[in-house]
Amino acid sequence: RRVHGLCSRSSQRVSLLKDNVAMFLPSASHNRLKQLCETRWVERHDSIIIFLELYEAVVETLDDIQTGPYSSEAATKAGLLYNAVLKPDFIIALATMERTSSLVLPLSKALQSINQDLFVANELVTEVIQVLKDDRIDAANEFNVVFRKAKAL
């Protein structure tokens, strides 16, 4: 949320992120971050996916802001965020959030649809619970999947 706020509060910083996306991630399907929604899980999932997709450009943008001709307040915030997003625990948490939110995404979509079907939602809840139980049983393998994703960042 703080990265989105810093990168979107100034047209100059929005432009900087777009330029970095074009330079480092020319095949990216997005060129700006999406705000993390507190209550709507579908939008939350989208914001996590977009952040992961633009991760390299976000890191470069934060570095540019902290070292560039921006206000000292923006530079300080960018420096703090830059250091935070490069920490291994943040990267692992981000990859874990992406994995977890992708599990609940179909359920979230079903619950937020206009024509909610309680039976379908109940089946989806049962499926999510089963996948989480299976993940616990095979925790080492599931962690390796998340770790490889995090390592690729």
Side-chain angles (χ1 to χ4, degrees), residues 21 32 35 66 69 75 85 91 98 130 134 150-151:
V21 169
R32 50 188 328 173
Q35 186 171 0
Q66 76 172 338
V85 301
I91 296 169
E98 188 269 336
Q130 187 57 51
D134 293 346
K151 194 174 176 181

Side-chain angles (χ1 to χ4, degrees), residues 94-107:
L94 185 63
T96 303
M97 284 177 20
E98 188 269 336
R99 167 82 169 102
T100 306
S101 69
S102 69
L103 289 175
V104 297
L105 181 63
L107 175 61

Side-chain angles (χ1 to χ4, degrees), residues 46-63:
D46 290 346
S47 65
I48 292 167
I49 295 299
I50 292 169
F51 191 92
L52 275 168
E53 178 186 8
L54 303 181
Y55 181 78
E56 184 179 356
V58 167
V59 170
E60 289 298 324
T61 300
L62 292 172
D63 189 39

Side-chain angles (χ1 to χ4, degrees), residues 15 20 60 123 150:
S15 178
N20 281 336
E60 289 298 324
E123 285 181 347

Side-chain angles (χ1 to χ4, degrees), residues 80 98 106 109 145 147 150:
L80 292 171
E98 188 269 336
K109 285 182 178 180
V145 169
F147 185 75

Side-chain angles (χ1 to χ4, degrees), residues 5-114:
L6 181 69
C7 292
S8 66
R9 287 204 179 104
S10 151
S11 60
Q12 190 178 21
R13 287 177 260 165
V14 168
S15 178
L16 178 62
L17 178 59
K18 286 181 179 181
D19 292 347
N20 281 336
V21 169
M23 184 183 311
F24 295 102
L25 304 165
S27 63
S29 59
H30 299 88
N31 64 4
R32 50 188 328 173
L33 295 172
K34 185 173 184 178
Q35 186 171 0
L36 185 67
C37 183
E38 289 289 324
T39 56
R40 297 188 64 86
W41 282 88
V42 173
E43 283 79 10
R44 180 176 289 239
H45 176 74
D46 290 346
S47 65
I48 292 167
I49 295 299
I50 292 169
F51 191 92
L52 275 168
E53 178 186 8
L54 303 181
Y55 181 78
E56 184 179 356
V58 167
V59 170
E60 289 298 324
T61 300
L62 292 172
D63 189 39
D64 291 346
I65 294 170
Q66 76 172 338
T67 59
Y70 299 93
S71 70
S72 61
E73 181 184 351
T76 301
K77 286 181 181 178
L80 292 171
L81 292 170
Y82 176 82
N83 289 327
V85 301
L86 290 176
K87 288 185 177 181
D89 55 340
F90 175 85
I91 296 169
I92 294 287
L94 185 63
T96 303
M97 284 177 20
E98 188 269 336
R99 167 82 169 102
T100 306
S101 69
S102 69
L103 289 175
V104 297
L105 181 63
L107 175 61
S108 297
K109 285 182 178 180
L111 292 173
Q112 291 179 10
S113 70
I114 294 171

